[in-house]
Short mmCIF file of all heavy atoms in Angstrom, two decimals:
data_model
loop_
_atom_site.label_atom_id
_atom_site.label_comp_id
_atom_site.label_asym_id
_atom_site.label_seq_id
_atom_site.Cartn_x
_atom_site.Cartn_y
_atom_site.Cartn_z
N PHE A 27 13.29 22.34 -5.46
CA PHE A 27 14.01 21.13 -5.85
C PHE A 27 13.80 20.89 -7.34
O PHE A 27 12.92 21.47 -7.95
CB PHE A 27 13.53 19.93 -5.03
CG PHE A 27 12.09 19.54 -5.31
CD1 PHE A 27 11.80 18.41 -6.05
CD2 PHE A 27 11.03 20.30 -4.83
CE1 PHE A 27 10.48 18.04 -6.31
CE2 PHE A 27 9.70 19.95 -5.09
CZ PHE A 27 9.43 18.82 -5.84
N GLY A 28 14.63 20.04 -7.92
CA GLY A 28 14.52 19.76 -9.35
C GLY A 28 14.60 18.27 -9.63
O GLY A 28 14.51 17.44 -8.73
N SER A 29 14.80 17.95 -10.90
CA SER A 29 14.90 16.54 -11.29
C SER A 29 16.34 16.05 -11.37
O SER A 29 16.60 14.86 -11.22
CB SER A 29 14.21 16.32 -12.64
OG SER A 29 14.87 17.05 -13.67
N LEU A 30 17.29 16.96 -11.59
CA LEU A 30 18.66 16.54 -11.86
C LEU A 30 19.28 15.78 -10.70
O LEU A 30 19.86 14.70 -10.89
CB LEU A 30 19.53 17.75 -12.23
CG LEU A 30 21.00 17.47 -12.56
CD1 LEU A 30 21.13 16.43 -13.67
CD2 LEU A 30 21.70 18.76 -12.94
N ALA A 31 19.19 16.32 -9.49
CA ALA A 31 19.80 15.64 -8.33
C ALA A 31 19.11 14.32 -8.02
O ALA A 31 19.66 13.49 -7.29
CB ALA A 31 19.77 16.55 -7.11
N GLN A 32 17.92 14.11 -8.59
CA GLN A 32 17.21 12.85 -8.36
C GLN A 32 17.67 11.74 -9.30
O GLN A 32 17.12 10.65 -9.30
CB GLN A 32 15.70 13.07 -8.50
CG GLN A 32 15.13 14.01 -7.45
CD GLN A 32 13.63 14.07 -7.50
OE1 GLN A 32 12.93 13.08 -7.26
NE2 GLN A 32 13.09 15.25 -7.82
N ARG A 33 18.73 12.01 -10.10
CA ARG A 33 19.29 10.94 -10.95
C ARG A 33 19.92 9.84 -10.09
O ARG A 33 20.09 8.71 -10.53
CB ARG A 33 20.33 11.52 -11.90
CG ARG A 33 21.63 11.98 -11.26
CD ARG A 33 22.59 12.58 -12.27
NE ARG A 33 23.88 12.94 -11.66
CZ ARG A 33 24.89 13.47 -12.33
NH1 ARG A 33 24.78 13.71 -13.62
NH2 ARG A 33 26.03 13.75 -11.72
N SER A 34 20.28 10.19 -8.85
CA SER A 34 20.85 9.24 -7.90
C SER A 34 19.80 8.83 -6.88
O SER A 34 19.08 9.68 -6.36
CB SER A 34 22.04 9.89 -7.19
OG SER A 34 22.20 9.41 -5.88
N SER A 35 19.71 7.54 -6.57
CA SER A 35 18.71 7.07 -5.60
C SER A 35 18.99 7.63 -4.21
O SER A 35 18.06 7.89 -3.44
CB SER A 35 18.69 5.54 -5.56
OG SER A 35 19.95 5.03 -5.17
N VAL A 36 20.27 7.85 -3.88
CA VAL A 36 20.61 8.39 -2.56
C VAL A 36 20.08 9.81 -2.42
O VAL A 36 19.35 10.14 -1.47
CB VAL A 36 22.14 8.36 -2.34
CG1 VAL A 36 22.50 9.05 -1.02
CG2 VAL A 36 22.67 6.94 -2.35
N SER A 37 20.43 10.67 -3.36
CA SER A 37 19.97 12.07 -3.29
C SER A 37 18.46 12.17 -3.45
O SER A 37 17.81 12.98 -2.79
CB SER A 37 20.67 12.90 -4.36
OG SER A 37 22.06 12.99 -4.09
N LYS A 38 17.90 11.34 -4.32
CA LYS A 38 16.44 11.34 -4.52
C LYS A 38 15.73 11.04 -3.21
O LYS A 38 14.76 11.72 -2.84
CB LYS A 38 16.06 10.32 -5.58
CG LYS A 38 14.57 10.26 -5.90
CD LYS A 38 14.31 9.26 -7.01
CE LYS A 38 12.83 9.21 -7.38
NZ LYS A 38 12.58 8.28 -8.52
N GLY A 39 16.20 10.02 -2.49
CA GLY A 39 15.58 9.67 -1.21
C GLY A 39 15.67 10.81 -0.21
O GLY A 39 14.70 11.10 0.51
N SER A 40 16.81 11.50 -0.16
CA SER A 40 16.99 12.61 0.77
C SER A 40 16.11 13.79 0.42
O SER A 40 15.54 14.45 1.30
CB SER A 40 18.46 13.04 0.78
OG SER A 40 19.28 11.99 1.25
N ILE A 41 15.98 14.08 -0.87
CA ILE A 41 15.13 15.19 -1.32
C ILE A 41 13.69 14.95 -0.89
O ILE A 41 13.02 15.84 -0.34
CB ILE A 41 15.25 15.38 -2.84
CG1 ILE A 41 16.62 15.97 -3.19
CG2 ILE A 41 14.12 16.28 -3.37
CD1 ILE A 41 16.95 15.93 -4.66
N HIS A 42 13.19 13.75 -1.11
CA HIS A 42 11.79 13.46 -0.77
C HIS A 42 11.58 13.38 0.74
O HIS A 42 10.50 13.72 1.23
CB HIS A 42 11.32 12.21 -1.50
CG HIS A 42 11.05 12.46 -2.95
ND1 HIS A 42 9.83 12.88 -3.42
CD2 HIS A 42 11.87 12.41 -4.03
CE1 HIS A 42 9.90 13.06 -4.74
NE2 HIS A 42 11.13 12.79 -5.13
N GLU A 43 12.62 12.97 1.47
CA GLU A 43 12.52 12.99 2.93
C GLU A 43 12.37 14.43 3.43
O GLU A 43 11.55 14.70 4.32
CB GLU A 43 13.76 12.34 3.55
CG GLU A 43 13.68 12.21 5.07
CD GLU A 43 14.89 11.53 5.68
OE1 GLU A 43 15.86 11.26 4.95
OE2 GLU A 43 14.85 11.28 6.90
N ILE A 44 13.12 15.33 2.85
CA ILE A 44 13.00 16.75 3.22
C ILE A 44 11.60 17.26 2.86
O ILE A 44 10.96 17.97 3.65
CB ILE A 44 14.07 17.59 2.51
CG1 ILE A 44 15.45 17.34 3.13
CG2 ILE A 44 13.73 19.08 2.56
CD1 ILE A 44 15.65 17.94 4.50
N LEU A 45 11.12 16.92 1.67
CA LEU A 45 9.80 17.40 1.24
C LEU A 45 8.69 16.88 2.14
O LEU A 45 7.66 17.54 2.31
CB LEU A 45 9.55 16.99 -0.21
CG LEU A 45 10.45 17.67 -1.26
CD1 LEU A 45 10.21 17.06 -2.63
CD2 LEU A 45 10.21 19.18 -1.30
N GLU A 46 8.89 15.72 2.72
CA GLU A 46 7.90 15.18 3.66
C GLU A 46 7.97 15.90 5.01
O GLU A 46 7.04 15.82 5.80
CB GLU A 46 8.14 13.68 3.87
CG GLU A 46 7.80 12.81 2.67
CD GLU A 46 6.32 12.76 2.36
OE1 GLU A 46 5.50 12.99 3.27
OE2 GLU A 46 5.97 12.52 1.18
N SER A 47 9.08 16.60 5.25
CA SER A 47 9.29 17.25 6.55
C SER A 47 8.78 18.68 6.61
O SER A 47 8.67 19.25 7.69
CB SER A 47 10.79 17.25 6.89
OG SER A 47 11.30 15.93 6.92
N VAL A 48 8.54 19.30 5.44
CA VAL A 48 8.17 20.72 5.44
C VAL A 48 6.72 20.89 5.91
O VAL A 48 5.91 19.96 5.85
CB VAL A 48 8.34 21.35 4.04
CG1 VAL A 48 9.79 21.23 3.58
CG2 VAL A 48 7.40 20.72 3.01
N PRO A 49 6.36 22.09 6.39
CA PRO A 49 4.97 22.33 6.82
C PRO A 49 3.99 22.19 5.66
O PRO A 49 4.37 22.31 4.48
CB PRO A 49 5.01 23.78 7.32
CG PRO A 49 6.44 24.06 7.61
CD PRO A 49 7.22 23.25 6.64
N GLU A 50 2.75 21.95 5.99
CA GLU A 50 1.72 21.74 4.96
C GLU A 50 1.58 22.94 4.03
O GLU A 50 1.34 22.79 2.84
CB GLU A 50 0.37 21.44 5.63
CG GLU A 50 -0.72 21.06 4.64
CD GLU A 50 -2.02 20.66 5.33
OE1 GLU A 50 -2.01 20.48 6.57
OE2 GLU A 50 -3.05 20.54 4.63
N ASN A 51 1.74 24.14 4.57
CA ASN A 51 1.56 25.34 3.76
C ASN A 51 2.85 25.83 3.09
O ASN A 51 2.88 26.90 2.48
CB ASN A 51 0.96 26.48 4.60
CG ASN A 51 1.88 26.90 5.73
OD1 ASN A 51 2.85 26.20 6.05
ND2 ASN A 51 1.59 28.03 6.35
N CYS A 52 3.92 25.07 3.21
CA CYS A 52 5.19 25.42 2.57
C CYS A 52 5.04 25.38 1.05
O CYS A 52 4.41 24.47 0.49
CB CYS A 52 6.27 24.43 2.99
SG CYS A 52 7.87 24.65 2.21
N LEU A 53 5.58 26.38 0.35
CA LEU A 53 5.60 26.37 -1.11
C LEU A 53 6.65 25.37 -1.57
O LEU A 53 7.85 25.54 -1.33
CB LEU A 53 5.94 27.75 -1.66
CG LEU A 53 4.98 28.89 -1.34
CD1 LEU A 53 5.56 30.21 -1.88
CD2 LEU A 53 3.61 28.63 -1.95
N LYS A 54 6.21 24.31 -2.24
CA LYS A 54 7.14 23.28 -2.73
C LYS A 54 7.32 23.52 -4.23
O LYS A 54 6.42 23.23 -5.02
CB LYS A 54 6.61 21.89 -2.41
CG LYS A 54 6.55 21.62 -0.91
CD LYS A 54 6.01 20.26 -0.57
CE LYS A 54 4.51 20.17 -0.72
NZ LYS A 54 3.76 21.01 0.23
N VAL A 55 8.47 24.05 -4.59
CA VAL A 55 8.71 24.53 -5.95
C VAL A 55 9.50 23.48 -6.73
O VAL A 55 10.67 23.22 -6.41
CB VAL A 55 9.50 25.85 -5.93
CG1 VAL A 55 9.59 26.43 -7.34
CG2 VAL A 55 8.86 26.85 -4.97
N PHE A 56 8.87 22.90 -7.74
CA PHE A 56 9.54 21.93 -8.59
C PHE A 56 10.05 22.65 -9.84
O PHE A 56 9.31 22.93 -10.76
CB PHE A 56 8.57 20.81 -8.97
CG PHE A 56 9.19 19.72 -9.82
CD1 PHE A 56 10.51 19.33 -9.66
CD2 PHE A 56 8.43 19.07 -10.78
CE1 PHE A 56 11.06 18.31 -10.44
CE2 PHE A 56 8.97 18.06 -11.57
CZ PHE A 56 10.29 17.68 -11.39
N ASP A 57 11.35 23.00 -9.80
CA ASP A 57 12.01 23.58 -10.97
C ASP A 57 12.49 22.39 -11.79
O ASP A 57 13.57 21.86 -11.54
CB ASP A 57 13.17 24.47 -10.52
CG ASP A 57 13.88 25.14 -11.68
OD1 ASP A 57 13.48 24.89 -12.84
OD2 ASP A 57 14.83 25.90 -11.44
N ILE A 58 11.70 21.99 -12.75
CA ILE A 58 11.85 20.68 -13.39
C ILE A 58 13.24 20.47 -13.98
O ILE A 58 13.82 19.40 -13.85
CB ILE A 58 10.73 20.47 -14.44
CG1 ILE A 58 10.62 19.00 -14.84
CG2 ILE A 58 10.92 21.39 -15.62
CD1 ILE A 58 9.36 18.68 -15.64
N ASN A 59 13.80 21.46 -14.64
CA ASN A 59 15.22 21.49 -15.01
C ASN A 59 15.69 20.20 -15.68
O ASN A 59 16.63 19.54 -15.21
CB ASN A 59 16.07 21.78 -13.75
CG ASN A 59 17.40 22.42 -14.08
OD1 ASN A 59 17.57 23.02 -15.14
ND2 ASN A 59 18.34 22.28 -13.17
N LEU A 60 15.04 19.82 -16.78
CA LEU A 60 15.40 18.59 -17.48
C LEU A 60 16.77 18.76 -18.14
O LEU A 60 16.98 19.67 -18.92
CB LEU A 60 14.35 18.26 -18.54
CG LEU A 60 12.90 18.09 -18.04
CD1 LEU A 60 11.99 17.72 -19.18
CD2 LEU A 60 12.83 17.04 -16.92
N ARG A 61 17.66 17.84 -17.84
CA ARG A 61 19.02 17.90 -18.37
C ARG A 61 19.40 16.55 -18.96
O ARG A 61 19.33 15.52 -18.27
CB ARG A 61 20.03 18.26 -17.28
CG ARG A 61 19.89 19.69 -16.75
CD ARG A 61 20.46 20.70 -17.75
NE ARG A 61 20.42 22.05 -17.23
CZ ARG A 61 19.49 22.95 -17.54
NH1 ARG A 61 18.51 22.63 -18.35
NH2 ARG A 61 19.54 24.18 -17.03
N GLN A 62 19.79 16.57 -20.24
CA GLN A 62 20.29 15.38 -20.92
C GLN A 62 19.34 14.19 -20.69
O GLN A 62 18.13 14.32 -20.86
CB GLN A 62 21.74 15.13 -20.51
CG GLN A 62 22.69 16.24 -20.90
CD GLN A 62 24.05 16.15 -20.27
OE1 GLN A 62 24.71 17.15 -20.05
NE2 GLN A 62 24.54 14.96 -19.97
N GLN A 63 19.89 13.07 -20.22
CA GLN A 63 19.06 11.88 -20.01
C GLN A 63 18.69 11.69 -18.54
O GLN A 63 18.13 10.65 -18.17
CB GLN A 63 19.80 10.63 -20.51
CG GLN A 63 20.93 10.15 -19.61
CD GLN A 63 22.25 10.87 -19.84
OE1 GLN A 63 22.29 11.94 -20.42
NE2 GLN A 63 23.34 10.26 -19.37
N TYR A 64 18.93 12.71 -17.70
CA TYR A 64 18.83 12.53 -16.26
C TYR A 64 17.43 12.78 -15.72
O TYR A 64 17.24 13.55 -14.77
CB TYR A 64 19.83 13.44 -15.56
CG TYR A 64 21.27 13.19 -15.95
CD1 TYR A 64 22.04 14.22 -16.49
CD2 TYR A 64 21.84 11.92 -15.81
CE1 TYR A 64 23.36 14.00 -16.85
CE2 TYR A 64 23.15 11.69 -16.17
CZ TYR A 64 23.90 12.74 -16.70
OH TYR A 64 25.21 12.51 -17.07
N PHE A 65 16.43 12.13 -16.28
CA PHE A 65 15.08 12.22 -15.73
C PHE A 65 14.27 11.04 -16.24
O PHE A 65 14.64 10.38 -17.21
CB PHE A 65 14.41 13.54 -16.11
CG PHE A 65 14.23 13.75 -17.60
CD1 PHE A 65 13.05 13.34 -18.23
CD2 PHE A 65 15.21 14.34 -18.38
CE1 PHE A 65 12.86 13.52 -19.59
CE2 PHE A 65 15.03 14.53 -19.74
CZ PHE A 65 13.86 14.12 -20.35
N SER A 66 13.16 10.79 -15.56
CA SER A 66 12.25 9.71 -15.95
C SER A 66 10.83 10.13 -15.65
O SER A 66 10.60 11.06 -14.86
CB SER A 66 12.57 8.43 -15.18
OG SER A 66 12.28 8.60 -13.79
N ARG A 67 9.86 9.46 -16.26
CA ARG A 67 8.46 9.75 -15.99
C ARG A 67 8.13 9.52 -14.52
O ARG A 67 7.41 10.30 -13.90
CB ARG A 67 7.56 8.86 -16.86
CG ARG A 67 6.07 9.23 -16.78
CD ARG A 67 5.22 8.28 -17.61
NE ARG A 67 3.86 8.75 -17.72
CZ ARG A 67 2.92 8.60 -16.78
NH1 ARG A 67 3.23 8.00 -15.63
NH2 ARG A 67 1.70 9.06 -16.97
N GLU A 68 8.70 8.48 -13.94
CA GLU A 68 8.44 8.16 -12.54
C GLU A 68 8.89 9.30 -11.62
O GLU A 68 8.17 9.72 -10.71
CB GLU A 68 9.18 6.87 -12.16
CG GLU A 68 9.04 6.49 -10.69
CD GLU A 68 9.97 5.35 -10.28
OE1 GLU A 68 10.85 4.98 -11.08
OE2 GLU A 68 9.83 4.87 -9.15
#
């Protein structure tokens, strides 16, 4: 997953819901992918 699709609260919520659903040993890959103004420290 990355930061770009998290510019929207709807998609951000869905992404984190999926991340909460994966197994404990799942590789969770954050491809940070900073684009334009579409990211925040939070």
Side-chain angles (χ1 to χ4, degrees):
F27 66 106
S29 63
L30 181 55
Q32 296 187 64
R33 70 182 184 179
S34 149
S35 61
V36 174
S37 294
K38 182 177 182 177
S40 297
I41 288 168
H42 285 271
E43 185 178 7
I44 287 288
L45 293 173
E46 290 292 336
S47 301
V48 301
E50 186 176 349
N51 62 347
C52 176
L53 298 175
K54 294 179 284 294
V55 187
F56 182 35
D57 182 358
I58 196 168
N59 205 23
L60 302 182
R61 292 284 184 261
Q62 297 168 209
Q63 75 277 18
Y64 301 122
F65 62 91
S66 67
R67 188 183 190 280
E68 177 190 10

